[in-house]
Amino acid sequence: MDARFTDEQDEIRRTLRELLGKRCGSEELRAAVDTPAGHDPALWTLLAGHLGLAALALPETYGGAGCTVTELALACEETGRALAPTPLLATAVLAAPLLLALGTDAQRAELLPRMASGEFTAALAVPGTALATALALTGHDGRGRWAGGGRAGGVQARRAEGGWRLYGQADQVLDGHSAELLLVAAHTGGFPRSRVLLFLVRADAAGLTRVRQTALDATRPQGRIQLRDVRAELLGDEDSDALPALAGLGDTVAACLAAEAVGAAARVLERTVEYVGQREQFGRPVGSFQAVKHRLADAYVQVQAARSAAYYAAWAAAGATAPAGEERAGALALAQALEALRRAAAEGIQLHGGIGFTWEHEAHLYFKRAAGDELLFGPAHRLRAHAADAAHVFEEAGT
């Protein structure tokens, strides 16, 4: 196994780091999260349209670059370093793979090239707070009860003349308030024979209401969508089962999220090391005290271990292991990365002193990213527990 990155992969990282360093500084970041969309459309046009970020892991047939999850994870690592509020996660990591896996030839040909070019963004709408369960990261529900269970709540789908109609609500949809296309998970059929299908809903559909939510992590904008008898298009055909596709996507999502968290953790740690080298107390730099050195060294080791786990998870999700699909390292890598980010951000806040707790400093934004991601995709102990259950770690021999 050659663990070195290729020249192309190194170039992706270098180009993104330089661009985001110039276009996503502190002032630009705060201005972007205060917009109605929660991100800078001009920056996304540059990232997707000119650099091809949204097209990295899409086949060349649909205007993509034909790369793998590894390249996408490396891009997420750089956007994580800058806490860049972009639709990359919602569009390229969550929505595009589902369109590729379940869509008809006509749907793929119409939608994927437009997503690859950055012409429009997409979002995955899962009812309630069940995104981690739908992706089989913190649990697995083979019947999809998280989508409503065929009863009241969630999102329900029914046949209507000329197509399908959706009724229901989803409260935590990443970029759901601004995306041009929604992929909505909905139950169809009466209880107990109901099943989950995915539907395409356009942003201008009649009966669709979207509102941006106030989220703990402002750099990860979320929207609440309400569907009142909204016309929708079935993704794929009626034989397409959304549950296996969502569960299969989980490892890719976790690997990209882990890389993103590692990038954020490395950046906040770098800033903290720089600060304690300049701040003086008792006539000497704070960073020269042994206790401070130990704390930062421990955080550094944790971040580096999380980076290795994230890279391995991306490599495994890209199909580098055989047989394909059996190597699922994403959940464990994500748990390790979220803990590393929380640790690095907490050390940064404390070692920056009083200013680290203020809105004027970015350290708290990194801590909120760790906490927000745990609320959406974790927490870490549940990620580990589900991975242990899936691997039958605690089962007795012969049972």
Side-chain angles (χ1 to χ4, degrees), residues 138-188:
T138 58
H140 183 63
D141 181 0
R143 294 182 58 186
R145 286 181 288 267
W146 47 264
R151 299 170 178 169
V155 179
Q156 311 298 323
R158 64 176 178 84
R159 285 184 177 278
E161 184 178 354
W164 293 82
R165 296 279 183 170
L166 302 184
Y167 190 96
Q169 180 171 307
D171 295 306
Q172 294 179 326
V173 183
L174 295 176
D175 292 305
H177 59 295
S178 60
E180 285 84 6
L181 179 70
L182 296 174
L183 275 68
V184 182
H187 255 292
T188 180

Side-chain angles (χ1 to χ4, degrees), residues 102 142 195-198 235 237-246:
L102 299 178
R195 61 196 183 101
V196 177
L197 296 175
L198 283 173
L235 179 61
D237 53 46
E238 292 191 41
D239 294 329
S240 301
D241 193 347
L243 293 179
L246 286 166

Side-chain angles (χ1 to χ4, degrees), residues 241-302:
D241 193 347
L243 293 179
L246 286 166
L249 178 62
D251 243 37
T252 294
V253 175
C256 291
L257 284 168
E260 190 183 67
V262 164
R267 179 56 183 150
V268 71
L269 185 59
E270 289 172 7
R271 295 191 61 171
T272 304
V273 170
E274 180 182 357
Y275 181 76
V276 299
Q278 298 172 351
R279 178 187 172 195
E280 291 191 357
Q281 193 171 26
F282 306 113
R284 55 188 288 195
V286 172
S288 66
F289 292 102
Q290 195 74 2
V292 174
K293 290 180 180 179
H294 286 170
R295 290 169 62 174
L296 292 176
D298 288 344
Y300 175 78
V301 170
Q302 193 170 3

Side-chain angles (χ1 to χ4, degrees), residues 341-392:
L341 176 54
R342 181 183 284 270
R343 169 74 176 276
E347 295 289 6
I349 290 174
Q350 188 166 12
L351 293 176
H352 271 85
I355 194 173
F357 291 85
T358 65
W359 177 245
E360 286 74 22
H361 202 273
E362 287 73 39
H364 70 285
L365 295 178
Y366 288 90
F367 190 85
K368 288 179 179 179
R369 169 60 65 89
D373 277 1
E374 284 208 58
L375 290 173
L376 282 171
F377 302 101
H381 71 270
R382 289 190 61 193
L383 290 165
R384 287 198 172 96
H386 180 61
D389 289 342
H392 310 290

